[in-house]
Amino acid sequence: MVSRHALVAPAALLLALCVAGTASASDRPRRVKHGVEAQGVVATQVLPHTFFGGEAVYVLGSDSFSARFGGQVISGRAFEIGDGKIGNLLSVFSIDGCGGRQVFRHRIRMCVGSQAGVMSHRWQGFDRPGRKATPWVAGVLRGDYRYSVTERLGLMFGVGVTLPVIGPEFRATDANGHVSPLVFPGPVTGMLTFGATFGLR
């Protein structure tokens, strides 16, 4: 499992590079651009097991400043809780504000935003399971690198962290009347992303 320190450090480095690049940007007019991003997602420390999934994002702005509007769906294998198991699926919408720096075919970008959605639960081995779904709200800090293959197509790799504000609470009763322990999301979750961008005209 990736530690939170291993993810925060690269994010901080990306932020420093982004700020430095923005400060040295030229005064040429910025052209508003539209694009989409499709990425695979690996998330750790959300729950005991790693989550995998994907996200699709619409991006509006310039190479220096942009806004991201997207959705993400991730899921992990069921984990044991008390005398049973529970499987989970997290679906969220997100919005981010980003600052970036483009140099030739290379772009570094830093984004700050939030995500909100729902985590669906599949209880196994409980006569009286808990709730089928619980809300999820979290702050997000992410950074990424893009290499432009063509004027419109690019390849991306990124890291990020989320800070859950509202997360799932797992409590159910088994056949013997035992109440399962309560589980909260970790204080900080780590995220790795990889995928592609495509510019729209």
Side-chain angles (χ1 to χ4, degrees):
M1 183 175 292
V2 180
S3 71
R4 69 193 65 170
H5 301 291
L7 292 167
V8 171
L13 176 60
L14 287 170
L15 176 60
L17 292 172
C18 184
V19 171
T22 302
S24 62
S26 65
D27 295 328
R28 67 181 182 275
R30 298 187 180 95
R31 180 168 60 91
V32 175
K33 298 181 179 180
H34 306 263
V36 293
E37 300 174 0
Q39 300 190 83
V41 179
V42 179
T44 67
Q45 296 177 285
V46 180
L47 289 172
H49 301 310
T50 301
F51 274 38
F52 300 90
E55 70 172 359
V57 179
Y58 170 70
V59 183
L60 173 65
S62 66
D63 290 330
S64 299
F65 301 99
S66 59
R68 302 172 76 251
F69 308 90
Q72 183 182 107
V73 178
I74 57 176
S75 179
R77 63 187 177 90
F79 67 92
E80 294 183 359
I81 177 171
D83 293 332
K85 291 185 177 181
I86 181 171
N88 301 278
L89 175 71
L90 178 62
S91 305
V92 297
F93 292 101
S94 62
I95 180 170
D96 302 284
C98 305
R101 173 62 171 165
Q102 180 82 30
V103 179
F104 300 109
R105 292 179 178 269
H106 310 277
R107 186 198 68 189
I108 294 176
R109 184 179 65 176
M110 196 70 204
C111 303
V112 178
S114 61
Q115 58 181 209
V118 64
M119 182 176 285
S120 303
H121 312 301
R122 187 179 68 258
W123 297 85
Q124 305 170 26
F126 290 92
D127 288 349
R128 288 179 287 170
R131 291 182 290 177
K132 293 184 178 180
T134 48
W136 173 277
V137 178
V140 182
L141 173 65
R142 70 176 81 214
D144 57 49
Y145 165 78
R146 182 190 69 190
Y147 177 78
S148 299
V149 179
T150 67
E151 183 180 356
R152 299 175 65 185
L153 177 65
L155 301 178
M156 293 180 61
F157 170 78
V159 297
V161 293
T162 65
L163 301 134
V165 178
I166 300 175
E169 300 178 5
F170 304 107
R171 189 182 290 276
T173 305
D174 62 21
N176 299 318
H178 299 142
V179 178
S180 68
L182 196 60
V183 177
F184 293 92
V188 177
T189 71
M191 183 168 51
L192 300 175
T193 59
F194 48 91
T197 66
F198 187 76
L200 304 174
R201 297 205 181 271

